[in-house]
Amino acid sequence: MKTACVILAAGKGTRMRTSHPKVLHPVCGEPMISFVVQLALRSKFDPIVVVVSKQADEIRAFLSARFHDRVRFAVQDPPMGTGHAVLSSQDALVHHTGKLIIMYGDVPLVEPADLTALKKASNGVAAAFISVRLDDPGGYGRVVRDELGCVVRIVEHSDATKQQRMLTEVNAGLYCVDAGFTFQTLRKTKHNNAQGEVYLTDLIEQANASGFSVRGVERSNAMNFRGVNSRVELAQAEKIMNRRLLEQMMKSGVTVVDPDSTWIGPNVRIGRDSVVLPNCWFRGEVKIGSECILGPGLVVQNSRVGSKTHVRAHSVLEDCRIGDGARIGPFARIRPGTNVHSKAQVGNFVEIKKSVLGPGSKANHLSYLGDATIGADVNIGAGTITCNYDGVNKHPTIIEDGAFIGSDTQLVAPVNVGKNATIGAGTTVTSDVPKDALAVSRVAQKNIEGYAGLKRKRKIKKNNPPK
């Protein structure tokens, strides 16, 4: 029988002090609720229902775009506590019987082993939950057990007595329950408590009162269950998740020189024997080949990099493709839509946008290449600019195989430089250059004899006027 999953995401997140849904705030570049949904999908829970508030259009839009019909939605309106939130999912689960996993959209650090332990503990009982022990349990619901160690109830902090608040075992918030029992019980549950809400924790006491067994499974990894309720906790979750991702990467054969200064996302893949130098930042869909040297100070987002490629210090790669054996940087910017082919070189302070740099071609110094298609084995001299924008439209530049572009050249698009053509340094190219041709456009050099000496005399005279 399938296990369903309800993810609670209707909280306002007032402590985040934000205009956006709390669960969409990113952890390692990914909205935190995405980690929870992906864990549910990997665990093969079906169906998966996300409970949102009436105003949660942003959450709906993100999850629908990312996960399509694999996620259903239920609306909690008005919000009346966690038990009421689960009860709001009943219509979306009308045909489901059997087990139901309950998780929170703002708890992104839960691991598969935690759910495995929870499901195992749920065998033969109406409700099971995860508990942890905290040195400072303030704010958490306390787990009350009898003298035999059996769970009697969970008491929310605001309703706990002074003696109960001394307990250090707390409810982590993850449940595996019988769906039929849960909905039947929550429909009858009152909200006679300090918050005036229907508590999900009431399930435990109600189960005991009805003669059903419950079980609390204690886990030692308390940080996995910490909810993100503030910007401080968001930063803490980011640090923990980042370290996990880096350790997985290092175990796969990647050298990360300084994990404390390296930041990656969950969809970053780097090949074996690559080396990541300090202060690198990888986000989005990133795939990098084997035996690469990356950084230091590198930024890569939504890009693919081939094997045996060296991306030097402080370069920025966005939505681009870099081929095998290429050399990028230092201080290069590769903008969206760019394809740098194998063994090409992009050097210091070169910016490339929506262009193709062919195999073995070089643009090593101080250049801007936009909307350009550059063939194989082309040399782009220092200071070269493709003038692709006329104030209204963008225009293409085509440079064919083997061309040599001299330093300080301006290519006024649209323009085509033929195969093996040469452009002299300092040339402004405004019309097509045939293959094998030399294009030069310069003002003739003129030398004025004695000019420097005359200039010095004028300066001396100016600074020493007659008395």
Side-chain angles (χ1 to χ4, degrees):
M1 186 177 295
K2 291 182 178 179
T3 298
C5 178
V6 171
I7 299 171
L8 306 185
K12 293 181 178 179
T14 53
R15 281 181 282 172
M16 292 288 286
R17 299 186 181 276
T18 177
S19 301
H20 304 286
K22 176 176 68 171
V23 296
L24 293 186
H25 282 261
V27 173
C28 294
E30 187 81 2
M32 68 176 84
I33 193 172
S34 181
F35 289 97
V36 184
V37 174
Q38 290 186 68
L39 176 60
L41 289 170
R42 288 197 300 270
S43 301
K44 301 188 184 306
F45 298 152
D46 185 28
I48 298 170
V49 180
V50 178
V51 180
V52 298
S53 69
K54 191 176 180 180
Q55 295 80 25
D57 291 342
E58 283 186 76
I59 300 175
R60 283 176 175 270
F62 166 73
L63 293 177
S64 296
R66 176 65 63 85
F67 301 107
H68 307 291
D69 59 356
R70 292 180 291 176
V71 173
R72 302 178 186 178
F73 296 95
V75 177
Q76 183 188 21
D77 181 39
M80 296 171 57
T82 53
H84 179 258
V86 173
L87 191 58
S88 300
S89 71
Q90 184 174 12
D91 288 345
L93 294 168
V94 65
H95 299 298
H96 177 74
T97 58
K99 291 183 179 181
L100 175 63
I101 292 282
I102 302 170
M103 298 193 289
Y104 288 85
D106 62 354
V107 184
L109 298 175
V110 177
E111 295 182 286
D114 300 317
L115 294 183
T116 299
L118 177 60
K119 287 189 68 176
K120 183 177 180 180
S122 71
N123 291 331
V125 300
F129 65 94
I130 288 178
S131 70
V132 295
R133 294 189 183 273
L134 300 176
D135 294 334
D136 180 10
Y140 285 85
R142 307 308 202 276
V143 178
V144 179
R145 296 179 183 266
D146 61 20
E147 61 276 5
L148 298 177
C150 298
V151 176
V152 176
R153 60 188 297 214
I154 299 172
V155 184
E156 294 294 342
H157 178 85
S158 55
D159 297 306
T161 65
K162 184 177 181 180
Q163 184 177 5
Q164 288 170 339
R165 290 186 180 185
M166 295 176 65
L167 298 172
T168 59
E169 186 183 8
V170 302
N171 172 33
L174 271 72
Y175 299 82
C176 186
V177 296
D178 177 83
F181 161 78
T182 297
F183 291 125
Q184 183 180 12
T185 302
L186 290 175
R187 283 195 296 269
K188 298 184 296 184
T189 301
K190 307 295 183 181
H191 41 79
N192 300 323
N193 50 62
Q195 301 296 325
E197 297 178 341
V198 178
Y199 289 156
L200 188 54
T201 51
D202 288 338
L203 278 177
I204 305 305
E205 188 172 8
Q206 293 292 336
N208 278 323
S210 302
F212 294 105
S213 298
V214 298
R215 184 174 294 134
V217 52
E218 186 177 333
R219 301 287 288 171
S220 60
N221 48 347
M223 286 302 298
N224 283 17
F225 310 101
R226 295 294 294 267
V228 176
N229 296 300
S230 67
R231 308 278 181 162
V232 172
E233 292 173 344
L234 183 67
Q236 292 170 345
E238 171 110 5
K239 191 170 185 178
I240 293 170
M241 181 65 75
N242 186 68
R243 189 66 184 221
R244 277 186 196 170
L245 295 172
L246 285 172
E247 287 180 0
Q248 291 172 10
M249 181 177 290
M250 288 186 281
K251 288 175 182 177
S252 73
V254 178
T255 296
V256 180
V257 174
D258 183 15
D260 290 335
S261 70
T262 302
W263 298 89
I264 68 171
N267 299 313
V268 175
R269 303 290 181 267
I270 300 179
R272 183 177 295 181
D273 292 321
S274 288
V275 178
V276 180
L277 298 172
N279 296 305
C280 289
W281 190 91
F282 304 90
R283 283 292 186 266
E285 298 286 338
V286 174
K287 186 174 181 179
I288 298 174
S290 60
E291 298 185 58
C292 293
I293 301 175
L294 307 167
L298 174 63
V299 174
V300 182
Q301 184 166 336
N302 295 322
S303 298
R304 295 175 69 93
V305 178
S307 296
K308 298 184 178 180
T309 293
H310 189 176
V311 187
R312 296 182 176 92
H314 306 293
S315 295
V316 178
L317 279 57
E318 305 171 82
D319 298 275
C320 64
R321 298 175 68 95
I322 310 295
D324 294 341
R327 297 291 180 268
I328 308 296
F331 297 98
R333 185 182 179 194
I334 313 298
R335 290 173 55 188
T338 296
N339 188 352
V340 177
H341 281 260
S342 61
K343 298 185 179 179
Q345 297 183 29
V346 180
N348 308 270
F349 304 103
V350 174
E351 179 181 354
I352 307 181
K353 189 269 306 184
K354 201 177 179 180
S355 297
V356 175
L357 187 64
S361 291
K362 302 175 183 178
N364 280 329
H365 318 280
L366 304 162
S367 295
Y368 170 72
L369 305 172
D371 298 285
T373 301
I374 300 167
D377 299 314
V378 172
N379 183 83
I380 303 294
T384 294
I385 298 172
T386 58
C387 306
N388 56 324
Y389 184 51
D390 63 7
V392 179
N393 297 307
K394 299 290 181 70
H395 299 284
T397 297
I398 298 174
I399 303 174
E400 297 183 18
D401 296 350
F404 182 93
I405 311 300
S407 298
D408 195 29
T409 292
Q410 299 86 47
L411 298 149
V412 183
V415 69
N416 189 316
V417 177
K419 186 175 181 180
N420 296 320
T422 298
I423 310 298
T427 294
T428 299
V429 179
T430 57
S431 60
D432 291 351
V433 180
K435 68 176 184 178
D436 294 319
L438 167 65
V440 182
S441 66
R442 297 183 189 140
V443 175
Q445 183 171 324
K446 182 179 180 180
N447 298 331
I448 301 175
E449 297 291 340
Y451 172 80
L454 180 61
K455 186 176 180 181
R456 285 195 299 271
K457 288 179 182 179
R458 288 175 179 171
K459 184 175 181 181
I460 292 169
K461 186 176 181 180
K462 181 180 178 180
N463 293 333
N464 298 281
K467 296 181 181 178

